[in-house]
Structure formats: C-alpha cells, structure tokens
Tab-separated table of all heavy atoms in Angstrom:
chain	number	residue	atom	x	y	z
Z	1292	VAL	N	41.920	6.638	-9.992
Z	1292	VAL	CA	40.640	6.021	-10.360
Z	1292	VAL	C	39.862	7.084	-11.163
Z	1292	VAL	O	39.782	8.261	-10.762
Z	1292	VAL	CB	39.818	5.632	-9.070
Z	1292	VAL	CG1	38.480	5.173	-9.523
Z	1292	VAL	CG2	40.529	4.538	-8.271
Z	1293	ALA	N	39.325	6.660	-12.308
Z	1293	ALA	CA	38.499	7.560	-13.125
Z	1293	ALA	C	37.085	6.973	-13.183
Z	1293	ALA	O	36.865	5.797	-13.022
Z	1293	ALA	CB	39.122	7.544	-14.489
Z	1294	PHE	N	36.148	7.885	-13.447
Z	1294	PHE	CA	34.792	7.466	-13.649
Z	1294	PHE	C	34.574	6.964	-15.048
Z	1294	PHE	O	34.976	7.609	-16.017
Z	1294	PHE	CB	33.766	8.647	-13.379
Z	1294	PHE	CG	33.798	9.102	-11.979
Z	1294	PHE	CD1	34.411	10.299	-11.602
Z	1294	PHE	CD2	33.141	8.345	-10.979
Z	1294	PHE	CE1	34.344	10.709	-10.296
Z	1294	PHE	CE2	33.124	8.801	-9.667
Z	1294	PHE	CZ	33.741	9.975	-9.288
Z	1295	SER	N	33.979	5.750	-15.161
Z	1295	SER	CA	33.681	5.215	-16.530
Z	1295	SER	C	32.319	5.760	-16.926
Z	1295	SER	O	32.138	6.208	-18.099
Z	1295	SER	CB	33.680	3.717	-16.487
Z	1295	SER	OG	34.893	3.187	-16.056
Z	1296	ASP	N	31.313	5.623	-15.992
Z	1296	ASP	CA	29.976	6.114	-16.339
Z	1296	ASP	C	29.188	6.092	-15.012
Z	1296	ASP	O	29.635	5.516	-14.037
Z	1296	ASP	CB	29.269	5.307	-17.410
Z	1296	ASP	CG	29.093	3.837	-17.114
Z	1296	ASP	OD1	28.561	3.508	-16.072
Z	1296	ASP	OD2	29.651	2.991	-17.881
Z	1297	ILE	N	28.099	6.799	-15.043
Z	1297	ILE	CA	27.157	6.824	-13.902
Z	1297	ILE	C	25.747	6.535	-14.396
Z	1297	ILE	O	25.388	7.076	-15.472
Z	1297	ILE	CB	27.228	8.186	-13.229
Z	1297	ILE	CG1	28.604	8.484	-12.679
Z	1297	ILE	CG2	26.244	8.247	-12.046
Z	1297	ILE	CD1	28.803	9.765	-12.016
Z	1298	VAL	N	25.013	5.687	-13.707
Z	1298	VAL	CA	23.694	5.281	-14.081
Z	1298	VAL	C	22.689	5.812	-13.088
Z	1298	VAL	O	22.827	5.629	-11.899
Z	1298	VAL	CB	23.596	3.745	-14.209
Z	1298	VAL	CG1	22.193	3.308	-14.650
Z	1298	VAL	CG2	24.683	3.162	-15.055
Z	1299	PHE	N	21.666	6.578	-13.616
Z	1299	PHE	CA	20.595	7.062	-12.808
Z	1299	PHE	C	19.294	6.414	-13.228
Z	1299	PHE	O	18.987	6.236	-14.432
Z	1299	PHE	CB	20.455	8.517	-12.965
Z	1299	PHE	CG	21.636	9.367	-12.512
Z	1299	PHE	CD1	22.538	9.873	-13.392
Z	1299	PHE	CD2	21.797	9.613	-11.169
Z	1299	PHE	CE1	23.657	10.561	-12.961
Z	1299	PHE	CE2	22.879	10.336	-10.723
Z	1299	PHE	CZ	23.849	10.826	-11.667
Z	1300	GLU	N	18.419	6.055	-12.261
Z	1300	GLU	CA	17.183	5.507	-12.539
Z	1300	GLU	C	16.369	6.480	-13.360
Z	1300	GLU	O	16.256	7.660	-12.999
Z	1300	GLU	CB	16.452	5.129	-11.246
Z	1300	GLU	CG	15.091	4.435	-11.422
Z	1300	GLU	CD	14.419	4.161	-10.133
Z	1300	GLU	OE1	14.346	5.081	-9.315
Z	1300	GLU	OE2	14.004	3.035	-9.962
Z	1301	GLY	N	15.765	6.009	-14.430
Z	1301	GLY	CA	14.869	6.860	-15.253
Z	1301	GLY	C	15.684	7.749	-16.232
Z	1301	GLY	O	15.109	8.327	-17.153
Z	1302	VAL	N	16.966	7.860	-16.082
Z	1302	VAL	CA	17.768	8.676	-17.006
Z	1302	VAL	C	18.659	7.737	-17.892
Z	1302	VAL	O	18.848	7.958	-19.039
Z	1302	VAL	CB	18.661	9.664	-16.268
Z	1302	VAL	CG1	19.584	10.395	-17.185
Z	1302	VAL	CG2	17.813	10.637	-15.440
Z	1303	GLY	N	19.224	6.763	-17.223
Z	1303	GLY	CA	20.122	5.867	-17.882
Z	1303	GLY	C	21.584	6.125	-17.660
Z	1303	GLY	O	21.909	6.775	-16.664
Z	1304	LYS	N	22.429	5.638	-18.559
Z	1304	LYS	CA	23.893	5.699	-18.396
Z	1304	LYS	C	24.447	6.984	-19.007
Z	1304	LYS	O	24.165	7.286	-20.123
Z	1304	LYS	CB	24.487	4.463	-19.024
Z	1304	LYS	CG	25.922	4.181	-18.666
Z	1304	LYS	CD	26.411	2.912	-19.376
Z	1304	LYS	CE	25.767	1.775	-18.732
Z	1304	LYS	NZ	26.322	0.494	-19.217
Z	1305	LEU	N	25.230	7.740	-18.174
Z	1305	LEU	CA	25.856	8.963	-18.702
Z	1305	LEU	C	27.352	8.812	-18.510
Z	1305	LEU	O	27.794	8.283	-17.494
Z	1305	LEU	CB	25.355	10.121	-17.901
Z	1305	LEU	CG	23.836	10.403	-17.882
Z	1305	LEU	CD1	23.522	11.440	-16.866
Z	1305	LEU	CD2	23.354	10.707	-19.230
Z	1306	ASN	N	28.129	9.314	-19.452
Z	1306	ASN	CA	29.592	9.192	-19.342
Z	1306	ASN	C	30.356	10.469	-19.661
Z	1306	ASN	O	31.538	10.437	-19.789
Z	1306	ASN	CB	30.136	8.021	-20.203
Z	1306	ASN	CG	29.810	8.195	-21.647
Z	1306	ASN	OD1	29.432	9.324	-22.068
Z	1306	ASN	ND2	29.994	7.174	-22.433
Z	1307	GLN	N	29.612	11.525	-19.645
Z	1307	GLN	CA	30.283	12.847	-19.768
Z	1307	GLN	C	29.395	13.975	-19.183
Z	1307	GLN	O	28.164	13.837	-19.003
Z	1307	GLN	CB	30.582	13.165	-21.228
Z	1307	GLN	CG	29.369	13.227	-22.118
Z	1307	GLN	CD	29.766	13.523	-23.590
Z	1307	GLN	OE1	30.682	14.338	-23.808
Z	1307	GLN	NE2	29.145	12.835	-24.530
Z	1308	GLY	N	29.995	15.066	-18.728
Z	1308	GLY	CA	29.261	16.121	-18.169
Z	1308	GLY	C	29.341	16.094	-16.617
Z	1308	GLY	O	30.050	15.281	-16.027
Z	1309	GLN	N	28.618	16.974	-15.978
Z	1309	GLN	CA	28.580	17.041	-14.579
Z	1309	GLN	C	27.303	16.377	-14.026
Z	1309	GLN	O	26.249	16.628	-14.552
Z	1309	GLN	CB	28.620	18.484	-14.125
Z	1309	GLN	CG	28.713	18.666	-12.604
Z	1309	GLN	CD	28.903	20.147	-12.287
Z	1309	GLN	OE1	28.869	21.043	-13.160
Z	1309	GLN	NE2	29.123	20.410	-11.064
Z	1310	MET	N	27.469	15.464	-13.047
Z	1310	MET	CA	26.357	14.753	-12.520
Z	1310	MET	C	26.290	14.798	-11.005
Z	1310	MET	O	27.368	15.020	-10.396
Z	1310	MET	CB	26.430	13.307	-12.977
Z	1310	MET	CG	26.270	13.117	-14.442
Z	1310	MET	SD	26.981	11.546	-14.983
Z	1310	MET	CE	28.337	12.113	-15.919
Z	1311	PHE	N	25.158	14.589	-10.388
Z	1311	PHE	CA	25.114	14.555	-8.943
Z	1311	PHE	C	23.938	13.611	-8.519
Z	1311	PHE	O	23.030	13.356	-9.274
Z	1311	PHE	CB	24.910	15.925	-8.356
Z	1311	PHE	CG	23.687	16.648	-8.906
Z	1311	PHE	CD1	22.477	16.554	-8.341
Z	1311	PHE	CD2	23.825	17.468	-10.049
Z	1311	PHE	CE1	21.329	17.220	-8.771
Z	1311	PHE	CE2	22.707	18.172	-10.541
Z	1311	PHE	CZ	21.485	18.042	-9.892
Z	1312	THR	N	24.008	13.116	-7.302
Z	1312	THR	CA	22.980	12.273	-6.697
Z	1312	THR	C	22.280	13.140	-5.658
Z	1312	THR	O	22.886	13.833	-4.895
Z	1312	THR	CB	23.562	11.053	-6.043
Z	1312	THR	OG1	24.228	10.291	-7.000
Z	1312	THR	CG2	22.542	10.236	-5.288
Z	1313	ARG	N	20.953	13.158	-5.757
Z	1313	ARG	CA	20.152	13.941	-4.833
Z	1313	ARG	C	19.790	13.241	-3.572
Z	1313	ARG	O	19.384	12.035	-3.630
Z	1313	ARG	CB	18.841	14.430	-5.469
Z	1313	ARG	CG	19.131	15.464	-6.608
Z	1313	ARG	CD	17.874	15.931	-7.195
Z	1313	ARG	NE	17.515	14.955	-8.185
Z	1313	ARG	CZ	16.586	15.087	-9.117
Z	1313	ARG	NH1	15.938	16.185	-9.169
Z	1313	ARG	NH2	16.290	14.115	-9.974
Z	1314	PHE	N	19.966	13.842	-2.433
Z	1314	PHE	CA	19.561	13.298	-1.141
Z	1314	PHE	C	18.400	14.169	-0.648
Z	1314	PHE	O	18.529	15.382	-0.633
Z	1314	PHE	CB	20.743	13.426	-0.119
Z	1314	PHE	CG	21.825	12.490	-0.436
Z	1314	PHE	CD1	22.742	12.795	-1.459
Z	1314	PHE	CD2	22.001	11.331	0.257
Z	1314	PHE	CE1	23.833	11.939	-1.804
Z	1314	PHE	CE2	23.067	10.438	-0.055
Z	1314	PHE	CZ	23.884	10.786	-1.073
Z	1315	PHE	N	17.249	13.594	-0.321
Z	1315	PHE	CA	16.053	14.298	0.034
Z	1315	PHE	C	15.827	14.377	1.552
Z	1315	PHE	O	16.371	13.517	2.235
Z	1315	PHE	CB	14.781	13.635	-0.603
Z	1315	PHE	CG	14.915	13.707	-2.130
Z	1315	PHE	CD1	15.452	12.652	-2.834
Z	1315	PHE	CD2	14.470	14.796	-2.874
Z	1315	PHE	CE1	15.517	12.634	-4.227
Z	1315	PHE	CE2	14.540	14.811	-4.213
Z	1315	PHE	CZ	15.084	13.779	-4.942
Z	1316	PRO	N	15.123	15.424	2.012
Z	1316	PRO	CA	14.940	15.564	3.465
Z	1316	PRO	C	14.279	14.376	4.142
Z	1316	PRO	O	14.582	14.157	5.320
Z	1316	PRO	CB	14.012	16.802	3.531
Z	1316	PRO	CG	14.213	17.564	2.294
Z	1316	PRO	CD	14.520	16.491	1.260
Z	1317	ASP	N	13.475	13.632	3.465
Z	1317	ASP	CA	12.804	12.438	4.114
Z	1317	ASP	C	13.725	11.255	4.188
Z	1317	ASP	O	13.326	10.146	4.619
Z	1317	ASP	CB	11.549	12.143	3.362
Z	1317	ASP	CG	11.729	11.686	1.920
Z	1317	ASP	OD1	12.870	11.650	1.444
Z	1317	ASP	OD2	10.740	11.338	1.276
Z	1318	GLY	N	14.979	11.341	3.687
Z	1318	GLY	CA	15.941	10.266	3.768
Z	1318	GLY	C	16.104	9.494	2.477
Z	1318	GLY	O	16.991	8.643	2.333
Z	1319	TYR	N	15.210	9.716	1.529
Z	1319	TYR	CA	15.357	9.043	0.266
Z	1319	TYR	C	16.538	9.555	-0.495
Z	1319	TYR	O	16.840	10.742	-0.460
Z	1319	TYR	CB	14.050	9.252	-0.557
Z	1319	TYR	CG	13.993	8.528	-1.910
Z	1319	TYR	CD1	13.663	7.172	-1.957
Z	1319	TYR	CD2	14.255	9.186	-3.072
Z	1319	TYR	CE1	13.606	6.481	-3.160
Z	1319	TYR	CE2	14.289	8.526	-4.270
Z	1319	TYR	CZ	13.931	7.153	-4.320
Z	1319	TYR	OH	13.905	6.527	-5.498
Z	1320	VAL	N	17.237	8.661	-1.275
Z	1320	VAL	CA	18.354	9.019	-2.079
Z	1320	VAL	C	18.026	8.541	-3.519
Z	1320	VAL	O	17.508	7.490	-3.751
Z	1320	VAL	CB	19.641	8.335	-1.602
Z	1320	VAL	CG1	20.833	8.709	-2.402
Z	1320	VAL	CG2	19.869	8.611	-0.119
Z	1321	GLU	N	18.395	9.422	-4.457
Z	1321	GLU	CA	18.220	9.056	-5.857
Z	1321	GLU	C	19.086	7.822	-6.166
Z	1321	GLU	O	20.274	7.798	-5.916
Z	1321	GLU	CB	18.645	10.257	-6.714
Z	1321	GLU	CG	18.352	10.031	-8.191
Z	1321	GLU	CD	18.651	11.305	-8.960
Z	1321	GLU	OE1	19.677	11.878	-8.777
Z	1321	GLU	OE2	17.797	11.701	-9.795
Z	1322	PRO	N	18.439	6.711	-6.647
Z	1322	PRO	CA	19.249	5.498	-6.964
Z	1322	PRO	C	20.335	5.802	-7.963
Z	1322	PRO	O	20.136	6.402	-9.030
Z	1322	PRO	CB	18.191	4.600	-7.609
Z	1322	PRO	CG	16.865	5.103	-7.160
Z	1322	PRO	CD	17.052	6.602	-6.995
Z	1323	THR	N	21.571	5.395	-7.626
Z	1323	THR	CA	22.733	5.690	-8.464
Z	1323	THR	C	23.713	4.537	-8.493
Z	1323	THR	O	23.935	3.915	-7.449
Z	1323	THR	CB	23.435	6.944	-7.884
Z	1323	THR	OG1	22.547	8.034	-7.687
Z	1323	THR	CG2	24.572	7.381	-8.748
Z	1324	VAL	N	24.254	4.285	-9.692
Z	1324	VAL	CA	25.343	3.333	-9.785
Z	1324	VAL	C	26.532	4.052	-10.471
Z	1324	VAL	O	26.375	4.665	-11.550
Z	1324	VAL	CB	24.925	2.161	-10.704
Z	1324	VAL	CG1	26.109	1.183	-10.928
Z	1324	VAL	CG2	23.746	1.392	-10.087
Z	1325	VAL	N	27.695	3.962	-9.870
Z	1325	VAL	CA	28.906	4.611	-10.380
Z	1325	VAL	C	29.929	3.537	-10.776
Z	1325	VAL	O	30.226	2.719	-9.924
Z	1325	VAL	CB	29.532	5.490	-9.283
Z	1325	VAL	CG1	30.799	6.266	-9.806
Z	1325	VAL	CG2	28.501	6.599	-8.804
Z	1326	HIS	N	30.288	3.587	-11.961
Z	1326	HIS	CA	31.330	2.659	-12.498
Z	1326	HIS	C	32.635	3.357	-12.607
Z	1326	HIS	O	32.771	4.446	-13.175
Z	1326	HIS	CB	30.981	2.141	-13.857
Z	1326	HIS	CG	29.720	1.300	-13.839
Z	1326	HIS	ND1	28.530	1.571	-14.442
Z	1326	HIS	CD2	29.497	0.065	-13.184
Z	1326	HIS	CE1	27.657	0.668	-14.207
Z	1326	HIS	NE2	28.201	-0.296	-13.443
Z	1327	MET	N	33.715	2.783	-11.956
Z	1327	MET	CA	35.056	3.389	-11.914
Z	1327	MET	C	36.080	2.429	-12.416
Z	1327	MET	O	35.830	1.186	-12.414
Z	1327	MET	CB	35.399	3.798	-10.440
Z	1327	MET	CG	34.416	4.725	-9.891
Z	1327	MET	SD	34.748	5.047	-8.079
Z	1327	MET	CE	34.089	3.529	-7.396
Z	1328	ASP	N	37.203	2.967	-12.859
Z	1328	ASP	CA	38.206	2.180	-13.444
Z	1328	ASP	C	39.549	2.733	-13.116
Z	1328	ASP	O	39.755	3.976	-13.224
Z	1328	ASP	CB	38.081	2.051	-14.986
Z	1328	ASP	CG	38.981	1.121	-15.690
Z	1328	ASP	OD1	40.190	1.095	-15.331
Z	1328	ASP	OD2	38.505	0.438	-16.561
Z	1329	ASN	N	40.570	1.961	-12.729
Z	1329	ASN	CA	41.900	2.477	-12.434
Z	1329	ASN	C	42.942	2.075	-13.493
Z	1329	ASN	O	44.132	2.189	-13.293
Z	1329	ASN	CB	42.414	2.058	-11.054
Z	1329	ASN	CG	42.670	0.533	-10.931
Z	1329	ASN	OD1	42.616	-0.126	-11.891
Z	1329	ASN	ND2	42.948	0.109	-9.714
Z	1330	GLY	N	42.428	1.557	-14.635
Z	1330	GLY	CA	43.333	1.118	-15.712
Z	1330	GLY	C	43.701	-0.359	-15.688
Z	1330	GLY	O	44.022	-0.909	-16.623
Z	1331	ARG	N	43.550	-0.980	-14.538
Z	1331	ARG	CA	43.757	-2.419	-14.415
Z	1331	ARG	C	42.555	-3.128	-13.885
Z	1331	ARG	O	42.457	-4.296	-14.137
Z	1331	ARG	CB	44.858	-2.622	-13.388
Z	1331	ARG	CG	46.174	-2.059	-13.784
Z	1331	ARG	CD	47.218	-2.364	-12.685
Z	1331	ARG	NE	46.674	-1.958	-11.385
Z	1331	ARG	CZ	47.084	-1.001	-10.571
Z	1331	ARG	NH1	48.191	-0.403	-10.866
Z	1331	ARG	NH2	46.489	-0.776	-9.456
Z	1332	GLN	N	41.702	-2.434	-13.174
Z	1332	GLN	CA	40.562	-3.111	-12.453
Z	1332	GLN	C	39.408	-2.133	-12.466
Z	1332	GLN	O	39.540	-0.940	-12.353
Z	1332	GLN	CB	40.960	-3.480	-11.098
Z	1332	GLN	CG	39.966	-4.243	-10.324
Z	1332	GLN	CD	40.445	-4.645	-8.915
Z	1332	GLN	OE1	41.563	-4.226	-8.526
Z	1332	GLN	NE2	39.668	-5.422	-8.253
Z	1333	ALA	N	38.184	-2.661	-12.603
Z	1333	ALA	CA	36.964	-1.886	-12.571
Z	1333	ALA	C	36.242	-2.095	-11.182
Z	1333	ALA	O	36.469	-3.066	-10.563
Z	1333	ALA	CB	36.025	-2.270	-13.698
Z	1334	PHE	N	35.563	-1.108	-10.826
Z	1334	PHE	CA	34.763	-1.101	-9.572
Z	1334	PHE	C	33.369	-0.575	-9.827
Z	1334	PHE	O	33.179	0.301	-10.686
Z	1334	PHE	CB	35.456	-0.196	-8.517
Z	1334	PHE	CG	36.886	-0.605	-8.222
Z	1334	PHE	CD1	37.860	0.049	-8.903
Z	1334	PHE	CD2	37.201	-1.551	-7.315
Z	1334	PHE	CE1	39.215	-0.259	-8.633
Z	1334	PHE	CE2	38.537	-1.906	-7.087
Z	1334	PHE	CZ	39.527	-1.191	-7.756
Z	1335	THR	N	32.414	-1.018	-9.030
Z	1335	THR	CA	31.076	-0.558	-9.068
Z	1335	THR	C	30.631	-0.092	-7.693
Z	1335	THR	O	30.763	-0.813	-6.775
Z	1335	THR	CB	30.063	-1.615	-9.601
Z	1335	THR	OG1	30.537	-1.988	-10.890
Z	1335	THR	CG2	28.674	-1.060	-9.681
Z	1336	LEU	N	30.141	1.164	-7.638
Z	1336	LEU	CA	29.607	1.729	-6.395
Z	1336	LEU	C	28.153	2.006	-6.498
Z	1336	LEU	O	27.717	2.495	-7.542
Z	1336	LEU	CB	30.340	3.018	-6.048
Z	1336	LEU	CG	30.074	3.710	-4.747
Z	1336	LEU	CD1	31.238	4.258	-4.123
Z	1336	LEU	CD2	29.013	4.827	-5.033
Z	1337	THR	N	27.342	1.469	-5.608
Z	1337	THR	CA	25.904	1.743	-5.659
Z	1337	THR	C	25.470	2.549	-4.433
Z	1337	THR	O	25.966	2.410	-3.361
Z	1337	THR	CB	25.111	0.443	-5.662
Z	1337	THR	OG1	25.373	-0.325	-4.478
Z	1337	THR	CG2	25.376	-0.419	-6.870
Z	1338	VAL	N	24.485	3.424	-4.676
Z	1338	VAL	CA	23.817	4.147	-3.613
Z	1338	VAL	C	22.367	3.692	-3.608
Z	1338	VAL	O	21.635	3.930	-4.572
Z	1338	VAL	CB	23.856	5.699	-3.861
Z	1338	VAL	CG1	23.202	6.418	-2.676
Z	1338	VAL	CG2	25.323	6.080	-3.983
Z	1339	TRP	N	21.930	3.025	-2.544
Z	1339	TRP	CA	20.617	2.457	-2.485
Z	1339	TRP	C	19.609	3.453	-2.004
Z	1339	TRP	O	19.839	4.159	-1.047
Z	1339	TRP	CB	20.637	1.174	-1.549
Z	1339	TRP	CG	21.591	0.150	-2.158
Z	1339	TRP	CD1	22.859	-0.122	-1.805
Z	1339	TRP	CD2	21.299	-0.707	-3.257
Z	1339	TRP	NE1	23.390	-1.099	-2.596
Z	1339	TRP	CE2	22.474	-1.537	-3.474
Z	1339	TRP	CE3	20.237	-0.890	-4.054
Z	1339	TRP	CZ2	22.525	-2.406	-4.521
Z	1339	TRP	CZ3	20.304	-1.854	-5.086
Z	1339	TRP	CH2	21.482	-2.603	-5.295
Z	1340	PRO	N	18.488	3.544	-2.673
Z	1340	PRO	CA	17.496	4.613	-2.457
Z	1340	PRO	C	16.811	4.728	-1.097
Z	1340	PRO	O	16.656	5.825	-0.585
Z	1340	PRO	CB	16.441	4.422	-3.533
Z	1340	PRO	CG	16.549	3.000	-3.995
Z	1340	PRO	CD	17.990	2.590	-3.665
Z	1341	LEU	N	16.468	3.679	-0.509
Z	1341	LEU	CA	15.653	3.700	0.713
Z	1341	LEU	C	16.543	3.841	2.002
Z	1341	LEU	O	16.136	4.461	2.939
Z	1341	LEU	CB	14.742	2.486	0.869
Z	1341	LEU	CG	13.672	2.397	-0.197
Z	1341	LEU	CD1	12.783	1.126	-0.014
Z	1341	LEU	CD2	12.797	3.600	-0.173
Z	1342	THR	N	17.727	3.281	1.945
Z	1342	THR	CA	18.638	3.286	3.074
Z	1342	THR	C	19.739	4.326	2.968
Z	1342	THR	O	20.356	4.695	3.960
Z	1342	THR	CB	19.284	1.943	3.303
Z	1342	THR	OG1	20.045	1.572	2.154
Z	1342	THR	CG2	18.203	0.858	3.472
Z	1343	GLY	N	20.106	4.747	1.722
Z	1343	GLY	CA	21.234	5.565	1.525
Z	1343	GLY	C	22.550	4.837	1.663
Z	1343	GLY	O	23.639	5.386	1.617
Z	1344	GLN	N	22.448	3.505	1.826
Z	1344	GLN	CA	23.641	2.658	2.005
Z	1344	GLN	C	24.473	2.715	0.730
Z	1344	GLN	O	23.879	2.680	-0.378
Z	1344	GLN	CB	23.297	1.243	2.316
Z	1344	GLN	CG	24.425	0.284	2.416
Z	1344	GLN	CD	23.981	-1.182	2.648
Z	1344	GLN	OE1	22.813	-1.401	2.885
Z	1344	GLN	NE2	24.874	-2.100	2.593
Z	1345	VAL	N	25.768	2.721	0.888
Z	1345	VAL	CA	26.686	2.641	-0.331
Z	1345	VAL	C	27.357	1.294	-0.256
Z	1345	VAL	O	27.867	0.877	0.767
Z	1345	VAL	CB	27.693	3.807	-0.209
Z	1345	VAL	CG1	28.720	3.699	-1.352
Z	1345	VAL	CG2	26.981	5.200	-0.296
Z	1346	SER	N	27.409	0.640	-1.411
Z	1346	SER	CA	28.108	-0.648	-1.575
Z	1346	SER	C	29.133	-0.573	-2.664
Z	1346	SER	O	28.925	0.101	-3.631
Z	1346	SER	CB	27.071	-1.730	-1.914
Z	1346	SER	OG	26.104	-1.830	-0.959
Z	1347	LEU	N	30.263	-1.182	-2.412
Z	1347	LEU	CA	31.391	-1.148	-3.333
Z	1347	LEU	C	31.653	-2.625	-3.829
Z	1347	LEU	O	31.797	-3.480	-2.964
Z	1347	LEU	CB	32.641	-0.575	-2.774
Z	1347	LEU	CG	33.859	-0.555	-3.690
Z	1347	LEU	CD1	33.636	0.361	-4.877
Z	1347	LEU	CD2	35.053	-0.049	-2.941
Z	1348	TYR	N	31.711	-2.862	-5.110
Z	1348	TYR	CA	31.901	-4.161	-5.692
Z	1348	TYR	C	33.100	-4.199	-6.641
Z	1348	TYR	O	33.399	-3.246	-7.277
Z	1348	TYR	CB	30.707	-4.622	-6.470
Z	1348	TYR	CG	29.384	-4.637	-5.749
Z	1348	TYR	CD1	28.570	-3.483	-5.722
Z	1348	TYR	CD2	28.975	-5.738	-5.019
Z	1348	TYR	CE1	27.379	-3.518	-5.034
Z	1348	TYR	CE2	27.851	-5.747	-4.290
Z	1348	TYR	CZ	26.999	-4.639	-4.260
Z	1348	TYR	OH	25.856	-4.618	-3.572
Z	1349	ASP	N	33.855	-5.308	-6.657
Z	1349	ASP	CA	34.891	-5.447	-7.650
Z	1349	ASP	C	34.204	-5.728	-9.016
Z	1349	ASP	O	33.260	-6.451	-9.094
Z	1349	ASP	CB	35.796	-6.658	-7.311
Z	1349	ASP	CG	36.744	-6.335	-6.181
Z	1349	ASP	OD1	37.165	-5.176	-6.041
Z	1349	ASP	OD2	37.105	-7.294	-5.441
Z	1350	GLY	N	34.780	-5.170	-10.036
Z	1350	GLY	CA	34.273	-5.384	-11.402
Z	1350	GLY	C	33.172	-4.430	-11.811
Z	1350	GLY	O	32.606	-3.656	-11.026
Z	1351	TYR	N	32.848	-4.457	-13.089
Z	1351	TYR	CA	31.754	-3.637	-13.632
Z	1351	TYR	C	30.487	-4.429	-13.563
Z	1351	TYR	O	30.357	-5.454	-14.178
Z	1351	TYR	CB	32.096	-3.344	-15.115
Z	1351	TYR	CG	31.205	-2.321	-15.781
Z	1351	TYR	CD1	31.674	-1.043	-15.996
Z	1351	TYR	CD2	29.921	-2.628	-16.117
Z	1351	TYR	CE1	30.898	-0.114	-16.629
Z	1351	TYR	CE2	29.115	-1.696	-16.770
Z	1351	TYR	CZ	29.611	-0.489	-17.020
Z	1351	TYR	OH	28.790	0.521	-17.627
Z	1352	ARG	N	29.520	-3.974	-12.739
Z	1352	ARG	CA	28.297	-4.705	-12.535
Z	1352	ARG	C	27.104	-3.806	-12.887
Z	1352	ARG	O	27.078	-2.572	-12.529
Z	1352	ARG	CB	28.151	-5.127	-11.096
Z	1352	ARG	CG	29.203	-6.069	-10.636
Z	1352	ARG	CD	28.871	-6.649	-9.290
Z	1352	ARG	NE	29.935	-7.464	-8.786
Z	1352	ARG	CZ	29.848	-8.143	-7.672
Z	1352	ARG	NH1	28.683	-8.088	-6.961
Z	1352	ARG	NH2	30.848	-8.919	-7.313
Z	1353	ASP	N	26.115	-4.365	-13.593
Z	1353	ASP	CA	24.894	-3.627	-13.872
Z	1353	ASP	C	23.877	-3.962	-12.780
Z	1353	ASP	O	23.744	-5.123	-12.343
Z	1353	ASP	CB	24.319	-4.033	-15.246
Z	1353	ASP	CG	25.110	-3.447	-16.347
Z	1353	ASP	OD1	25.529	-2.209	-16.272
Z	1353	ASP	OD2	25.377	-4.121	-17.339
Z	1354	PHE	N	23.145	-2.996	-12.325
Z	1354	PHE	CA	22.129	-3.177	-11.318
Z	1354	PHE	C	20.813	-2.546	-11.819
Z	1354	PHE	O	20.773	-1.532	-12.533
Z	1354	PHE	CB	22.502	-2.439	-10.011
Z	1354	PHE	CG	23.532	-3.123	-9.239
Z	1354	PHE	CD1	24.860	-2.854	-9.452
Z	1354	PHE	CD2	23.188	-4.076	-8.254
Z	1354	PHE	CE1	25.820	-3.550	-8.670
Z	1354	PHE	CE2	24.159	-4.664	-7.532
Z	1354	PHE	CZ	25.500	-4.426	-7.739
Z	1355	GLU	N	19.683	-3.156	-11.408
Z	1355	GLU	CA	18.367	-2.648	-11.683
Z	1355	GLU	C	17.747	-2.362	-10.313
Z	1355	GLU	O	17.698	-3.223	-9.458
Z	1355	GLU	CB	17.511	-3.593	-12.505
Z	1355	GLU	CG	17.998	-3.849	-13.911
Z	1355	GLU	CD	16.997	-4.689	-14.603
Z	1355	GLU	OE1	15.781	-4.670	-14.317
Z	1355	GLU	OE2	17.438	-5.339	-15.649
Z	1356	PHE	N	17.272	-1.167	-10.198
Z	1356	PHE	CA	16.652	-0.725	-8.954
Z	1356	PHE	C	15.121	-1.041	-8.974
Z	1356	PHE	O	14.491	-0.800	-9.993
Z	1356	PHE	CB	16.826	0.781	-8.687
Z	1356	PHE	CG	18.222	1.162	-8.476
Z	1356	PHE	CD1	18.949	1.714	-9.427
Z	1356	PHE	CD2	18.809	0.919	-7.229
Z	1356	PHE	CE1	20.291	2.130	-9.205
Z	1356	PHE	CE2	20.079	1.288	-6.948
Z	1356	PHE	CZ	20.854	1.882	-7.935
Z	1357	GLN	N	14.562	-1.589	-7.888
Z	1357	GLN	CA	13.187	-1.939	-7.766
Z	1357	GLN	C	12.432	-0.735	-7.275
Z	1357	GLN	O	12.906	-0.109	-6.376
Z	1357	GLN	CB	13.004	-3.089	-6.859
Z	1357	GLN	CG	13.738	-4.365	-7.242
Z	1357	GLN	CD	13.282	-4.909	-8.565
Z	1357	GLN	OE1	12.104	-4.919	-8.892
Z	1357	GLN	NE2	14.207	-5.381	-9.379
Z	1358	GLN	N	11.304	-0.426	-7.944
Z	1358	GLN	CA	10.538	0.703	-7.516
Z	1358	GLN	C	9.519	0.304	-6.541
Z	1358	GLN	O	9.011	-0.801	-6.515
Z	1358	GLN	CB	9.883	1.388	-8.714
Z	1358	GLN	CG	10.938	1.970	-9.614
Z	1358	GLN	CD	10.314	2.991	-10.566
Z	1358	GLN	OE1	9.372	3.646	-10.194
Z	1358	GLN	NE2	10.869	3.056	-11.742
C-alpha cells in the first residue's frame, strides 16, 4: 500500500514530503485524511479531531471537517 496524498485542515492536500498528525494533551487530534492505494484499489483513512477515532473506507473519498 502506498500513500496517494494526505489532507490536513487549513493546509490542504499534500502528496510529497514528510507529514505528521499532531495529538494534543487535551485529547484533540489534528483533522487528517489519508488516501492510500495498492495499485488495484484505493482506501481512505480519517482521523476525527474530537474523538481521535480512526475510520477506514473503501475508495478515494473527500471529507470536510466541521469546525
């Protein structure tokens, strides 16, 4: 599986370089969407900001985080 791109709230979509998601002491997580591809199928992984929950979806999906 390879990373296609990573989307950060306020920064946008990045597809090269080194990136990271910040986890804060109060439990807040920087909203992040990771798009991955294995050559046959795409996957989307989301990190939700208030809960830190991670969700995995089949396919390339765009998400907008509510502030």
Side-chain angles (χ1 to χ4, degrees):
V1292 174
F1294 294 106
S1295 301
D1296 57 59
I1297 300 178
V1298 183
F1299 296 101
E1300 182 180 53
V1302 175
K1304 192 177 293 187
L1305 303 171
N1306 59 13
Q1307 60 181 320
Q1309 187 174 4
M1310 296 160 245
F1311 57 90
T1312 297
R1313 290 182 280 193
F1314 292 77
F1315 298 94
D1317 64 358
Y1319 183 80
V1320 181
E1321 186 174 47
T1323 307
V1324 176
V1325 179
H1326 295 115
M1327 301 173 285
D1328 187 319
N1329 68 6
R1331 296 178 315 242
Q1332 186 177 6
F1334 304 94
T1335 301
L1336 183 138
T1337 59
V1338 181
W1339 298 100
L1341 297 177
T1342 63
Q1344 178 182 352
V1345 175
S1346 301
L1347 180 64
Y1348 303 92
D1349 285 330
Y1351 190 106
R1352 297 189 185 186
D1353 287 317
F1354 284 88
E1355 290 187 27
F1356 293 103
Q1357 301 298 320
Q1358 295 197 34

